[in-house]
Amino acid sequence: MGAVLVLFYGIKRQSKLFLLGGIALFAFVAGIVLLTGRRSQFLYPLLFGLALFHYGHRRFPSPAVTAALLLGISAAQYYALARAFLPEGLTYALSQVWSSVARNPYLVAPWAANEFRMPAASLLEVLHYGGPGLLLGRSYIASLGAPIPFVARLFSQVSFDLNEWRLSTFYPDILAAGGGLAFSPVTEAYVNFGVIGVFLHLFLYGYIIGKIYNRLLTKPTWPALLLFAGSLPVFMLDGMRVSSASFVWRWVRVYLMPWIIFIVLKALAPGQPRRSRTLSRNEST
């Protein structure tokens, strides 16, 4: 994310030094991340940067956004299949999967990815086999402390870990191996408060990101842009596939950090006006 901010600063200031430095730094870190088999540490900062560019510099055409989303999902799934061959190198891993995908394109379809299948499976498991009983909000306790370092562990001790319950109940082998599976927030809402919990959870989910987006449109300042850019990747990719505690942790303690640091530094800067400069007409339209 630091590389993305350097790159965006170079674009806004028309500085070749920061522009090339940001590109080089992002490519270097992205290469390391991809060699480790991780995707989110590459995709989330990429989406963060695209949101900064789209709403803070120049809008992308709508057809291009749609096409990029579809291609991005397929590319991410392709890489997921190639991760088994990563010990032999990234290029080798990508080449090994091509023949299988060419014979069966279904392998890279969005509905074939575990990120889409496993959260849905968590709901089906609870509906078919039964859940841990009505938790009455107990699993949400961990999300209250998730944004705060060190304190989060205290909240986790009195919370109910749905991921651990699911693995120990249905997938003990994966739990023993130290693995994990995605968990649907719809399932979390259901096991806490029943059907009404699903309505409440999804309402809050849509309301929060809607307010953040509306604030950017009505008051296009730099803090509003950083807040939305840091929220978009998490709401877009994690909103329907992880538990509330994991969602809040990643949102606040990772992708909202540029916004938080900006607010803190602005408040501490002597002699600076309290109100943030509004984005120029060319930046916000």
Side-chain angles (χ1 to χ4, degrees):
M1 291 182 68
V4 170
L5 290 171
V6 171
L7 175 58
F8 183 67
Y9 183 83
I11 293 174
K12 298 304 296 180
R13 292 296 184 181
Q14 297 182 349
S15 170
K16 291 184 178 179
L17 176 63
F18 284 97
L19 181 62
L20 295 177
I23 293 174
L25 183 59
F26 184 84
F28 175 72
V29 177
I32 295 176
V33 168
L34 291 177
L35 286 174
T36 64
R38 299 178 181 271
R39 293 178 297 174
S40 61
Q41 286 81 356
F42 171 77
L43 290 175
Y44 286 58
L46 181 61
L47 289 172
F48 173 80
L50 292 175
L52 286 178
F53 186 91
H54 183 73
Y55 292 99
H57 186 64
R58 185 180 300 121
R59 295 293 182 96
F60 295 109
S62 296
V65 173
T66 303
L69 287 174
L70 295 175
L71 290 175
I73 293 173
S74 296
Q77 177 62 4
Y78 185 96
Y79 173 75
L81 298 173
R83 288 186 293 187
F85 304 99
L86 277 178
E88 304 298 328
L90 180 60
T91 303
Y92 175 82
L94 295 176
S95 64
Q96 286 297 109
V97 179
W98 173 251
S99 58
S100 299
V101 172
R103 291 193 303 268
N104 185 12
Y106 171 84
L107 293 173
V108 294
W111 51 85
N114 276 338
E115 284 77 8
F116 292 87
R117 295 167 55 195
M118 294 313 298
S122 70
L123 179 59
L124 296 177
E125 290 163 359
V126 169
L127 293 175
H128 183 74
Y129 299 107
L134 282 181
L135 300 178
L136 300 178
R138 188 179 170 192
S139 74
Y140 290 112
I141 295 177
S143 63
L144 299 177
I148 310 171
F150 305 109
V151 176
R153 296 182 180 180
L154 300 178
F155 280 80
S156 297
Q157 291 178 359
V158 296
S159 182
F160 187 90
D161 193 331
L162 285 169
N163 292 294
E164 183 177 350
W165 168 83
R166 183 190 183 194
L167 291 174
S168 62
T169 304
F170 302 111
Y171 306 97
D173 293 341
I174 296 179
L175 179 62
L181 296 173
F183 196 92
S184 171
V186 175
T187 314
E188 181 175 14
Y190 181 76
V191 299
N192 273 280
F193 301 108
V195 175
I196 189 64
V198 178
F199 287 96
L200 293 174
H201 187 112
L202 295 183
F203 168 78
L204 288 175
Y205 177 82
Y207 179 80
I208 291 171
I209 190 62
K211 292 291 288 186
I212 293 173
Y213 180 64
N214 186 63
R215 180 177 178 82
L216 175 62
L217 295 182
T218 57
K219 189 180 179 181
T221 60
W222 290 112
L225 176 60
L226 288 172
L227 176 61
F228 177 75
S231 301
L232 177 65
V234 186
F235 276 82
M236 177 180 174
L237 298 177
D238 275 352
M240 291 293 107
R241 58 175 293 272
V242 298
S243 62
S244 60
S246 299
F247 175 86
V248 173
W249 187 94
R250 180 173 288 184
W251 179 34
V252 178
R253 292 177 61 176
V254 181
Y255 294 98
L256 285 189
M257 274 299 114
W259 172 69
I260 294 173
I261 293 173
F262 183 92
I263 294 297
V264 171
L265 292 180
K266 187 171 181 61
L268 296 178
Q272 294 294 324
R274 288 184 175 273
R275 296 187 63 184
S276 300
R277 183 177 73 84
T278 303
L279 301 179
S280 68
R281 181 179 182 82
N282 191 34
E283 293 167 346
S284 60
T285 61

